[in-house]
């Protein structure tokens, strides 16, 4: 659903909430392409929020790189994730 450009923002947010208790490195690997700047901000911020739940050094580096993102929502999700580490 997150990768579907036609999916409504509300559905993407619900998926994000549902996945917040799933910490799986394989899931993170699948979400990394969804933070591409080619995608919409809702998709990117939702993916960032889920990725931020994987507390490891790779995630920290990835989130640090998003602190200067064009989207305020992506920046906020990255900052919140870093604050939890």
């Amino acid at each position: 659903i997150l990768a579907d450009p036609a999916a409504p923002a509300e559905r993407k947010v619900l998926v994000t909430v549902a996945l917040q208790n799933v910490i799986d490195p394989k899931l993170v690997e699948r979400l990394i392409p969804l933070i591409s700047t080619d995608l919409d901000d809702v998709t990117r911020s939702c993916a960032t929020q889920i990725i931020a739940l994987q507390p490891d050094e790779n995630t920290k580096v990835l989130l640090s790189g998003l602190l200067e993102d064009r989207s305020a929502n992506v920046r906020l999700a990255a900052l919140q994730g870093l604050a939890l580490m």
Side-chain angles (χ1 to χ4, degrees), residues 19-40:
L19 290 174
Q20 287 184 349
N21 291 322
V22 178
I23 299 175
D24 181 353
K26 292 180 184 177
L27 176 62
V28 171
E29 289 174 18
R30 292 179 58 195
L31 292 173
I32 289 174
L34 298 182
I35 60 173
S36 167
T37 56
D38 297 338
L39 300 173
D40 65 276

Side-chain angles (χ1 to χ4, degrees), residues 1-20 27 31 33-36 38-51 53 70 73-74:
I1 291 174
L2 287 179
D4 181 1
E10 295 84 5
R11 190 169 295 154
K12 291 180 181 195
V13 171
L14 287 174
V15 167
T16 301
V17 171
L19 290 174
Q20 287 184 349
L27 176 62
L31 292 173
L34 298 182
I35 60 173
S36 167
D38 297 338
L39 300 173
D40 65 276
D41 289 352
V42 172
T43 298
R44 296 174 63 244
S45 63
C46 287
T48 302
Q49 288 179 32
I50 299 167
I51 290 168
L53 298 173
R70 71 166 196 260
N73 291 330
V74 172

